[in-house]
Amino acid sequence: MLQKDLGEIFQLDMRHVSLGAMITVTKVKVTPDLALAKVYLSLFASKDKDALLKSIRSHTKEIRGKLGNRIKNQLRVVPNLNLYLDDSLDYIENIDSLLNE
């Protein structure tokens, strides 16, 4: 549920942060007490992924607020968000290119 809501927030509400890149929420891991959510993002069409991730992290409070408005009736606590870069697609692409050589 959090993955779907966060994906919609990035696509609809946070376009000003994405700087023209496509942001996909690939995975969300939540602690059992709902205090923390590790959110893994895949960034497409971005030349400097680290700078984009830093820009997204600077808006974490805004993202968490929008998430809280969406899930306020479903969860008793809105988890703190830790945002990470999901580089699994880059890793797979690298393996494919190595296998093709």
Side-chain angles (χ1 to χ4, degrees):
M1 175 177 70
L2 290 176
Q3 182 177 356
K4 178 181 173 260
D5 286 336
L6 284 168
E8 289 176 1
I9 288 169
F10 280 114
Q11 290 177 359
L12 303 175
D13 300 333
M14 301 301 292
R15 288 181 180 246
H16 62 280
V17 176
S18 66
L19 305 173
M22 186 174 134
I23 302 171
T24 305
V25 179
T26 56
K27 190 184 335 178
V28 176
K29 292 183 180 180
V30 183
T31 58
D33 62 352
L34 299 177
L36 179 68
K38 293 181 179 180
V39 181
Y40 294 88
L41 303 174
S42 183
L43 308 174
F44 298 104
S46 173
K47 295 182 188 213
D48 191 1
K49 292 182 180 184
D50 292 327
L52 179 57
L53 183 62
K54 186 176 180 180
S55 172
I56 294 169
R57 283 180 178 158
S58 69
H59 290 85
T60 302
K61 283 186 179 183
E62 182 182 355
I63 296 166
R64 187 171 180 250
K66 291 182 183 299
L67 180 64
N69 288 336
R70 287 176 174 250
I71 64 170
K72 62 185 172 190
N73 297 327
Q74 295 151 347
L75 294 178
R76 63 181 169 82
V77 176
V78 179
N80 289 321
L81 304 176
N82 283 356
L83 303 171
Y84 300 98
L85 183 62
D86 183 7
D87 58 355
S88 60
L89 292 177
D90 295 335
Y91 180 72
I92 291 170
E93 186 177 300
N94 186 29
I95 290 175
D96 281 345
S97 67
L98 291 173
L99 289 174
N100 288 334
E101 290 177 3

